[in-house]
Amino acid sequence: MPTGPDEGFDGPTEKCGVVGTSLADRSAARPLYYSLYALQHRGQESAGIVTHDGFQQHSHVEMGLVGDAFDEDDIAGLNGSAGIGHVRYPTAGSVDKSCAQPFTVSFKSGSLALSHNGNLVNSDEIREELAAQGHAFTSDGDTEVIAHDLARNLLEEDLVRAVKRTMERIHGSYSLTIMHDETVLGVRDPAGNRPLVIGEVDDGYVIASESAAIDTIDGELVRDVRPGELVVLRPDGEGYDTYQLVERERTAHCFFEHVYFSRPDSVIDGGLVYEVRRELGRKLWDESGIDTDVVMPVPDSGRAFASGYAEAAQEADAGVEFAEGLMKNRYVGRTFIMPTQDERERAVRLKLNPIKSTVEGKTVTLIDDSIVRGTTSNQLVQLLKDCGAEEVHLRIGAPPIVAPCYLGINMATREELIASDKTVEEIGETIDADSLQYLSTEAVAAALDADRADLCMGCVTGEYPYDIEGEETDRDVSRPVIEGSETASADD
Ligand code: SF4
């Protein structure tokens, strides 16, 4: 499978979700809390909110899901109309509270809180340099490295220049919400690898990983934060200023955000994720459609792909009928821990059950968004055949995952990836499908309406947009050309 952000069996696991807001005259805590609920699919390990009341920070950070991490007293204690929040899935650093975020620290330059989604590729180097200058670290995560670097720069520069210097120093993927005293900032890395958007609510502005978080608090999406851009929310919700601090020739948007990670109801880099997935499904039919009795999704995230695929098939007068053939047990969720392969195999049976009348005696096309280890796909093919399917053909709405991700996605190791050392034909045989086809990288770029060169496809090509030890680099973006253009624009 994987079957999307709420599954977590055989798939990549999400990174993190960030949010920040500055409001006119009400507490920021509750909108932040609701926004984190909307971003829960991006991280389930810990959740946290830090607010500022004009005098001091208030922080509540806990391990676990958003609903478990906060109670009414916690929210009531988070005073102030400015704040940031975070949900975490650990991709760098320990799995304990020391790395839970927002990360807070007080320096001579004031108080700082940081929420980070992404992964730096040069944090060890910067950590060593800062440690040599006397900075003491309390965690092994890369967010603290950003916090210390920024705090050091704030001793010598104003806020915007200090952020710019930090952006020049750190390399990798990062969408950040930052609070310096009570000023809330949003920063997106120069390659735009992770999403970040600006939204407007009645009495202020919000910055969040995905637009679904803004919808949840009755806000309106304004636009994406541009790659290399800093957004500064004015205090008391009065507006915001933007600064294009770093520019580079090409972006490296993570294509997997559209295929798998982001919510289908989010708009990312100008595209509604649901529509992109439907378009991927249509292209899957164009490239490798097969005329079977039924086409069915692996729920839930295969659904949009399957609906696009079925629509294209029907337009081509193929007799394929769209059907729901697998039912999901919604009560087996993230809290169901599956550390071993054996347990993961059993989990498939707990999670999905076939509808016999849809499957029995039929030829079936099963649509999924990706294959990581292949274990779950094999289980599902078996499940459908045991239920009487005559043939099971698997169609995947992304190219084969051949390499790990170093930019914030927990993708399994290279050895665990079934496509790292097998051809598509061999994978099809291993999972016992009657046929297997993936989508091409060209089709993915076309469905995203993007230039292939502006996407990161490291995990499906093995070529990354940054210098990573032992890996190929597909472009010269590891040391960006820095062209400061500090143009403040009100309500951009
Ligand atoms: S390697 Fe894959 S998952 Fe990681 S950022 Fe690039 S496209 Fe996204």
Side-chain angles (χ1 to χ4, degrees):
M1 208 162 37
T3 56
D6 58 338
E7 309 299 331
F9 289 128
D10 186 21
T13 22
E14 297 75 24
K15 315 124 316 260
C16 298
V18 302
V19 63
T21 192
S22 181
L23 303 172
D25 55 8
R26 61 178 166 133
S27 165
R30 195 164 294 278
L32 289 170
Y33 172 67
Y34 292 145
S35 303
L36 292 183
Y37 253 112
L39 297 175
Q40 184 76 84
H41 59 288
R42 299 185 72 87
Q44 300 83 42
E45 192 65 42
S46 63
I49 292 174
V50 177
T51 57
H52 201 289
D53 63 8
F55 298 99
Q56 61 178 354
Q57 280 184 350
H58 302 274
S59 170
H60 183 81
V61 178
E62 262 308 330
M63 300 300 286
L65 299 170
V66 177
D68 300 326
F70 296 89
D71 61 25
E72 276 303 314
D73 288 345
D74 299 326
I75 294 170
L78 289 164
N79 297 321
S81 59
I84 64 170
H86 190 264
V87 284
R88 178 171 192 253
Y89 185 89
T91 52
S94 312
V95 186
D96 60 40
K97 214 172 159 183
S98 72
C99 281
Q101 299 182 29
F103 187 84
T104 55
V105 66
S106 288
F107 296 95
K108 277 188 224 157
S109 46
S111 69
L112 269 179
L114 267 95
S115 294
H116 176 203
N117 169 210
N119 204 40
L120 299 189
V121 295
N122 67 339
S123 66
D124 290 349
E125 192 184 311
I126 304 171
R127 179 187 289 271
E128 274 173 33
E129 179 192 304
L130 288 165
Q133 291 170 7
H135 289 253
F137 290 86
T138 59
S139 74
D140 57 359
D142 52 2
T143 309
E144 189 177 5
V145 171
I146 303 173
H148 279 262
D149 193 77
L150 182 56
R152 176 185 61 179
N153 295 337
L154 279 166
L155 292 173
E156 294 164 11
E157 308 271 18
D158 64 28
L159 184 59
V160 173
R161 286 174 194 279
V163 172
K164 184 180 174 204
R165 260 174 69 176
T166 293
M167 289 174 77
E168 291 169 355
R169 185 72 187 99
I170 60 178
H171 301 298
S173 67
Y174 55 90
S175 278
L176 303 166
T177 51
I178 303 172
M179 190 164 60
H180 176 235
D181 295 332
E182 60 181 325
T183 302
V184 172
L185 321 172
V187 180
R188 192 173 181 196
D189 74 65
N193 185 256
R194 296 279 147 241
L196 195 66
V197 293
I198 313 168
E200 184 173 5
V201 289
D202 280 352
D203 56 344
Y205 289 87
V206 185
I207 301 163
S209 291
E210 292 183 37
S211 61
I214 294 164
D215 298 338
T216 303
I217 53 173
D218 292 329
E220 288 286 327
L221 173 66
V222 175
R223 63 168 173 84
D224 294 285
V225 176
R226 297 183 185 104
E229 187 178 47
L230 163 68
V231 179
V232 182
L233 301 188
R234 294 189 204 130
D236 302 323
E238 281 176 9
Y240 62 86
D241 302 287
T242 67
Y243 306 83
Q244 187 63 46
L245 295 185
V246 182
E247 290 193 10
R248 75 191 342 159
E249 252 175 58
R250 310 241 49 145
T251 59
H253 300 304
C254 169
F255 87 97
F256 239 98
E257 286 284 352
H258 300 266
V259 168
Y260 181 83
F261 293 114
S262 296
R263 283 173 52 147
D265 52 337
S266 282
V267 176
I268 291 184
D269 292 318
L272 176 65
V273 173
Y274 177 74
E275 285 305 335
V276 169
R277 288 184 188 163
R278 271 175 50 80
E279 186 57 25
L280 288 163
R282 293 180 62 87
K283 295 205 176 302
L284 198 52
W285 167 265
D286 293 345
E287 287 194 341
S288 63
I290 181 165
D291 202 348
T292 54
D293 296 327
V294 288
V295 53
M296 62 179 63
V298 177
D300 285 319
S301 68
R303 200 165 276 133
F305 295 83
S307 109
Y309 180 97
E311 187 181 80
Q314 279 149 16
E315 283 170 16
D317 285 333
V320 184
E321 181 199 334
F322 179 89
E324 292 282 357
L326 288 165
M327 279 301 118
K328 189 169 116 178
N329 176 354
R330 300 195 176 278
Y331 299 96
V332 182
R334 289 287 189 189
T335 47
F336 188 79
I337 297 165
M338 298 153 288
T340 67
Q341 188 74 353
D342 185 44
E343 283 169 289
R344 272 195 290 270
E345 284 175 20
R346 244 175 280 152
V348 176
R349 299 257 169 188
L350 272 174
K351 186 87 179 183
L352 293 167
N353 197 32
I355 297 174
K356 202 165 184 182
S357 60
T358 313
V359 173
E360 196 171 24
K362 306 265 178 67
T363 55
V364 173
T365 304
L366 184 64
I367 309 276
D368 208 349
D369 49 18
S370 52
I371 299 179
V372 180
R373 295 174 182 83
T375 320
T376 314
S377 303
N378 176 239
Q379 290 271 309
L380 289 175
V381 170
Q382 211 48 60
L383 209 58
L384 293 173
K385 288 194 171 174
D386 289 350
C387 204
E390 278 182 10
E391 294 170 16
V392 180
H393 301 268
L394 197 53
R395 294 292 179 270
I396 305 298
I401 300 172
V402 297
C405 175
Y406 297 91
L407 300 172
I409 310 287
N410 190 7
M411 190 70 95
T413 63
R414 194 182 296 267
E415 295 67 39
E416 291 170 322
L417 294 168
I418 193 168
S420 68
D421 62 355
K422 284 188 172 58
T423 64
V424 173
E425 207 181 331
E426 287 168 343
I427 298 168
E429 281 167 19
T430 306
I431 62 180
D432 203 22
D434 289 280
S435 75
L436 165 70
Q437 294 293 336
Y438 292 85
L439 200 60
S440 66
T441 54
E442 293 75 21
V444 170
L448 266 65
D449 201 17
D451 189 325
R452 162 71 188 83
D454 283 324
L455 297 172
C456 176
M457 288 196 170
C459 51
V460 296
T461 61
E463 295 173 357
Y464 299 87
Y466 292 92
D467 286 336
I468 293 162
E469 211 181 322
E471 301 285 0
E472 300 281 323
T473 303
D474 72 349
R475 70 200 82 172
D476 183 21
V477 293
S478 58
R479 295 289 182 271
V481 179
I482 310 296
E483 289 175 5
S485 55
E486 297 180 8
T487 48
S489 58
D491 292 3
D492 180 24

